[in-house]
Amino acid sequence: MPRLAELALIVTGVAPPSDGGGGRFIQMKDLDPERRQLVRRSVPTAGRATPVERGDVLLPSRGDRTLAIRPDSELLGAFPSLDIYLVRPDEGRLDPDYLAAFLSLPQVGAALRTSTAGASLPRIPKEALSDLEVPTPPLQRQRAIGGLAACARTQALLATRLRNAEARLAAAHLASAFQNIEA
């Protein structure tokens, strides 16, 4: 089975400069579209600074959950910060949605976390990610699996947004009901 480093470019994010500017930076919280607030700083000059492209996969390098995501349009062109790995698969060999689904499997996350170092928020070493063996069925099968996973992620996101909207609507109705009570 090939290692991930044989199938993809793996880049460690960069620290955002301290001054403001036109560069956008993705922090771990920004992987959740409901919590996203990209930081704006100067465009990084580090050689490894790599802006996010459409076929990329983003993976937090820290934490107890390993949830890889495919970037949406808001993240394209932004730079991953130090706590995020950018994985750019060779799309002739590895489908990005398939890779995101594979990296999000609980057993893959558990395997990556066994090699973590650090105290309160352990960090997955780049070597562990590079050495990760990735099953590579034919691309057509990868695309089918990746498409199914992408649909499941979209459904979960829409369900969360619907629950949040319903809760806001219920709270607004309740507040309105109390406003109409005559003293």
Side-chain angles (χ1 to χ4, degrees):
M1 211 177 314
R3 297 176 23 242
L4 184 56
E6 298 167 19
L7 302 167
L9 171 69
I10 303 167
V11 181
T12 304
V14 295
S18 57
D19 58 335
R24 295 174 300 128
F25 289 84
I26 306 165
Q27 299 174 341
M28 281 190 356
K29 68 174 179 51
D30 299 321
L31 298 179
D32 177 354
E34 299 296 314
R35 297 179 53 214
R36 186 171 295 158
Q37 276 188 312
L38 299 181
V39 172
R40 289 199 173 270
R41 298 286 191 267
S42 295
V43 174
T45 57
R48 74 173 190 272
T50 307
V52 173
E53 294 179 359
R54 190 160 305 281
D56 293 343
V57 175
L58 300 174
L59 179 74
S61 65
R62 294 184 181 275
D64 57 355
R65 289 185 58 216
T66 310
L67 185 61
I69 68 151
R70 292 293 318 284
D72 56 29
S73 59
E74 186 180 1
L75 297 180
L76 297 179
F79 295 91
S81 66
L82 287 173
D83 290 333
I84 298 175
Y85 288 118
L86 180 146
V87 183
R88 183 166 293 157
D90 172 354
E91 292 187 52
R93 299 177 64 198
L94 189 59
D95 179 75
D97 286 318
Y98 171 82
L99 176 60
F102 174 74
L103 291 173
S104 296
L105 289 172
Q107 61 269 32
V108 172
L112 288 172
R113 282 190 301 280
T114 61
S115 61
T116 59
S120 62
L121 205 54
R123 180 177 181 83
I124 298 168
K126 184 178 175 185
E127 297 75 32
L129 191 57
S130 296
D131 291 339
L132 183 66
E133 292 184 342
V134 180
T136 52
L139 272 174
Q140 183 177 8
R141 170 105 187 201
Q142 289 182 39
R143 288 184 185 113
I145 294 168
L148 178 62
C151 286
R153 282 191 306 272
T154 299
Q155 187 275 333
L157 177 62
L158 291 173
T160 298
R161 287 181 179 167
L162 179 59
R163 278 191 305 277
N164 292 344
E166 288 172 337
R168 285 190 304 273
L169 184 60
H173 284 315
L174 186 59
S176 176
F178 277 98
Q179 286 177 352
N180 295 327
I181 296 176
E182 293 184 27

